[in-house]
Structure formats: structure tokens, C-alpha cells
Amino acid sequence: MTWKIVADSGCDYRQLPTPAIDTEFVSVPLTIQIEDQVFIDDASLDIDQMMEAMYACPHASKSACPSPDDYIRSFEGAKNIFVVTITGTLSGSYNSARLAKNIYLEEHPDTNIHIIDSLSAGGQVDLFVEKINELIDQGLSFEEVVEAITAYQVKTKLLFVLAKVDNLVKNGRLSKLIGTVVGLLNIRMVGEASETGTLELLQKARGAKKSLQAAYEELIKAGYAGGRIVMAHRSNDKFCQQLSELLREKFPQAEIKIIPTSGLCSFYAEEGGLLMGYEID
């Protein structure tokens, strides 16, 4: 095995449909603790069950990042390794991966390892993984892939639309007042990942129709011009289909993929939530 693409479960993929030649994709799961229950965010996770437990719990739930040993095991057997993690503002996964790299290189000094703090989650992380796979498939060297993916990062963004914020309120990231308003008035929170990896609110839209228009407006304002999009959603396929149709009216060539969120991204986006990665000009 020559190449490995490693991503924590801030990425929604559990496997890549068409991996490049001599390339393996490895998902390294985070864990989510809800009271005394621990959910491992791998392919066997029942996300519906996890979400039911989270909403039934009156206390804050929490996630735990992979250990350095988890990452070290994922590195084995490859000469060239790319690691993509969820934003360091939400998790210690990036730091864990960096520590794993230092330990692994002591034993395997000829291995090439590049670690990317996505400064994001969900669809934007998915875009990075897809792009790395695409670059490897082009036959580029390790150094050329590093250069190309670094340039690609600044040409992508994340837009989120949240219909529920119970978890954010329980974890102290939003006030109870805002949480109550969102619930009672059918408010959707529309925002983006900042350049430093924090989640920033752009608009508050009341109802699905207005949030659809708000999401479209923010995409255009940010510089979307018909490039690739990954819409990672938690139980909101209808919204994604409607937004896709709206975008294709203006950009018929748009390459749009709709996929379900991982356990971790469901944990943050909550029911009806969308974490959309997209390319900009």
C-alpha cells in the first residue's frame, strides 16, 4: 500500500466509492458520551439511536477525540499519508494526530505524513478527502499533492443551516434564550466556518422557505459560481434537494452531492441540520 487518506469522523465518509490506485481510506472515529452511554462513531453506529439518547438526556453530552494510538494504527502500511481532522476549535483530534505523526516518524523515518486541520467539519472536510484522492489519482508526487491541497483549501468554504440547537445550548455554546426562540419561532441559524475554524452566524431565517433563500444568498455572496458541493445533512433530504434545484437553475453544470452526516456531524448539526462544503472562485 503506497497511499493512505486518514480522516476522523468530522468527515462523513466511512469509505470512498472510487479510491485512487494503491490508496486506502481510513476513518478514525471520535466517541460521543451521553450520560453513561458511549457511542463509537464508526460504520456500525446507529445514529438514530444516538440522537434519541442525546435529546432524552437533560445534561450536556460530549465528544472525545481519537488517541494518538488510534492514529498510529491507521498509518501502518503506507508510504504516503494524508490526515484530515475536524476543526481544532471543536476537538483535540488535530493535536492527537500531530503527536501520532511525531511518534510514528521515530520508528518509520522514511514515511511522508501531512496533517490538515480542516478548520471545518462535514461537507468541507468531505471535499478535502475527495480532492486528495483525486490528486493522488492524477499521479502526483507527495509534495505536489501537499502543494495542491493547500491551495485548494482556500478555495472552499462551509455553510451551515441549523434547525435545532438543543445540544449547543446544553454545552453552553448558545444561550437558553436563543435556543427557546429557535424552537418556538421555527428559526433556522444560517452561518459559516470562519478562517480560524469557529462557527459564525450570518443570518436568522424563520421557516424552511426563508432559510433556503438565505442559504442560497450566502453561497452566491461568498463566491460560489457552479463548482463542487457536498451537502451533508441530518434527516433533511428535502431541503438539500430544493437547494440543489435552486442552484442548478443558475448553474446547470454544478456538481452537487447529497450525503448523510456522520455521528459526530449529526451531534453538532442536530436534526434537520446541514453542513455544506462548497468551492468558490
Side-chain angles (χ1 to χ4, degrees), residues 141-203:
S141 68
F142 178 83
E143 291 76 15
E144 288 171 332
V145 177
V146 170
E147 183 179 356
I149 193 62
T150 301
Y152 182 73
Q153 283 177 255
V154 300
K155 295 182 178 180
T156 65
K157 291 180 73 69
L158 178 86
L159 185 81
F160 64 82
V161 181
L162 305 181
K164 289 178 70 68
V165 292
D166 300 42
N167 195 32
L168 293 173
V169 172
K170 288 177 186 176
N171 283 280
R173 297 181 185 273
L174 281 178
S175 71
K176 289 183 179 180
L177 177 60
I178 291 177
T180 301
V181 169
V182 169
L184 292 178
L185 299 182
N186 196 21
I187 299 293
R188 305 290 201 275
M189 313 281 278
V190 180
E192 66 178 2
S194 72
E195 293 180 357
T196 58
T198 58
L199 301 181
E200 294 189 349
L201 181 64
L202 297 171
Q203 293 192 42

Side-chain angles (χ1 to χ4, degrees), residues 29 44 47 81 93 107 148 153 171 196 220 240 253 258 266 274:
S44 65
I47 298 177
I81 302 166
S93 187
E107 296 287 330
Q153 283 177 255
N171 283 280
T196 58
I220 303 304
C240 294
Q253 79 283 12
I258 300 172
S266 299
L274 170 69

Side-chain angles (χ1 to χ4, degrees), residues 41-52:
D41 190 14
D42 58 16
S44 65
L45 175 64
D46 186 331
I47 298 177
D48 291 341
Q49 180 187 359
M50 182 197 78
M51 297 299 287
E52 287 176 9

Side-chain angles (χ1 to χ4, degrees), residues 75-131:
F75 296 165
E76 292 173 356
K79 170 69 175 176
N80 303 303
I81 302 166
F82 283 83
V83 184
V84 187
T85 74
I86 190 171
T87 175
T89 63
L90 291 177
S91 169
S93 187
Y94 174 69
N95 289 333
S96 187
R98 287 183 61 194
L99 181 56
K101 172 184 174 179
N102 294 337
I103 295 170
Y104 193 79
L105 289 178
E106 290 179 4
E107 296 287 330
H108 307 83
D110 295 330
T111 304
N112 299 311
I113 304 175
H114 181 64
I115 303 175
I116 299 168
D117 180 347
S118 70
L119 302 175
S120 190
Q124 192 174 8
V125 180
D126 304 336
L127 280 180
F128 294 162
V129 167
E130 287 182 355
K131 190 64 175 182

